[in-house]
Amino acid sequence: MATDGTFEALIGSETWRLLLAAGTLRSFPPGRTILRQGDPGGFLFVLESGRVKLLASAEDGAQLVLTIRGGGHLLGELAGDSDGARTADVVTIDRCTARFLPQYEFDRFLGRHDLHGAFHRYIAGKFQQAVGRQVDLAHRRAVRRIARLFLDLVRFAPDGLPDPRHIPFTQEELATALGMARSTVTDQLTTLRRSGALAPGPQLVVSDLSRLTEWADS
């Protein structure tokens, strides 16, 4: 079943399979940068399975996580033609499979299947999410930002993972990714563990999705 907010959910599973078939299969190991901020556009990836993180480079060189995406999403579609520039690095979290599609082929596909409206709604949803992330960054508590990141990681966990509720970040990586002091991250993780949202112990494992959702919405 397609995850809400994905392009697959907007166009339906049957049309999504046609889109996958239109592209060239690519496979990427964990930790691979598949798109780089500032590089020219001209093509996109249709993400079939696996999770990726979108990173923006700060002035001090730190890379902050903008969002997590999983199967059913498009990657690199905002750059448009080759005159556009990538707005973020895209780095794989898991082994990912995707379909490479030149921008002109994607535009043709949208036209053949009358999907320009769905595509614009998808882009609008991404911008709305980006605005929400900026509000979180400026005004929300650290625990809420951490909880939201964890929810996204679990929501987009691909089928076949031994433990889809395991969070594939260290505390140091979380601090860097969210632009927080490590001591702040440690304190918030302790809060989440005490509430039962995270399992006890050194590993980051979600034990109660409902409780974690409450923190994400707090």
Side-chain angles (χ1 to χ4, degrees):
M1 182 180 296
T3 303
D4 289 346
T6 62
F7 194 55
E8 180 184 4
L10 283 174
I11 68 176
S13 295
E14 182 176 348
T15 307
W16 175 256
R17 286 193 292 270
L18 293 176
L19 180 58
L20 291 174
T24 303
L25 179 64
R26 299 284 178 87
S27 181
F28 304 101
R32 174 71 58 86
T33 300
I34 62 175
L35 296 172
R36 293 188 182 276
Q37 184 176 345
D39 279 359
F43 67 90
L44 56 87
F45 287 113
V46 182
L47 187 56
E48 184 174 9
S49 66
R51 293 170 293 185
V52 300
K53 52 188 175 182
L54 276 65
L55 305 171
S57 297
E59 292 183 358
D60 61 0
Q63 287 194 307
L64 304 179
V65 171
L66 299 176
T67 190
I68 304 295
R69 298 229 164 87
H73 271 293
L74 305 175
L75 304 174
E77 77 293 340
L78 292 180
D81 58 34
S82 58
D83 293 331
R86 306 295 183 194
T87 56
D89 286 356
V90 179
V91 182
T92 58
I93 296 173
D94 315 291
R95 178 166 292 279
C96 292
T97 57
R99 306 300 173 110
F100 171 90
L101 205 61
Q103 187 67 41
Y104 68 88
E105 289 285 0
F106 180 66
D107 291 340
R108 287 178 183 173
F109 186 90
L110 294 180
R112 284 198 305 270
H113 297 276
D114 193 23
L115 294 175
H116 286 290
F119 180 64
H120 290 315
R121 290 194 299 275
Y122 177 69
I123 296 300
K126 280 191 170 183
F127 278 119
Q128 184 177 21
Q129 182 189 53
V131 171
R133 297 292 183 185
Q134 290 298 317
V135 171
D136 279 351
L137 184 62
H139 301 292
R140 304 301 186 187
R141 296 187 299 162
V143 68
R144 171 173 170 156
R145 293 172 56 203
I146 293 172
R148 286 198 165 189
L149 175 63
F150 288 3
L151 278 179
D152 284 345
L153 287 165
V154 173
R155 185 163 65 105
F156 289 118
D159 295 337
L161 283 184
D163 188 355
R165 295 194 179 195
H166 174 261
I167 303 301
F169 282 79
T170 65
Q171 291 192 31
E172 188 67 38
E173 289 170 339
L174 281 174
T176 300
L178 295 173
M180 298 178 184
R182 182 169 180 176
S183 59
T184 299
V185 171
T186 300
D187 289 344
Q188 306 314 310
L189 293 178
T190 297
T191 297
L192 292 172
R193 286 191 176 100
R194 286 175 176 170
S195 74
L198 297 182
Q203 296 294 317
L204 294 176
V205 179
V206 175
S207 59
D208 190 327
L209 277 174
S210 296
R211 189 65 57 84
L212 187 64
T213 300
E214 291 175 1
W215 282 110
D217 293 338
S218 63

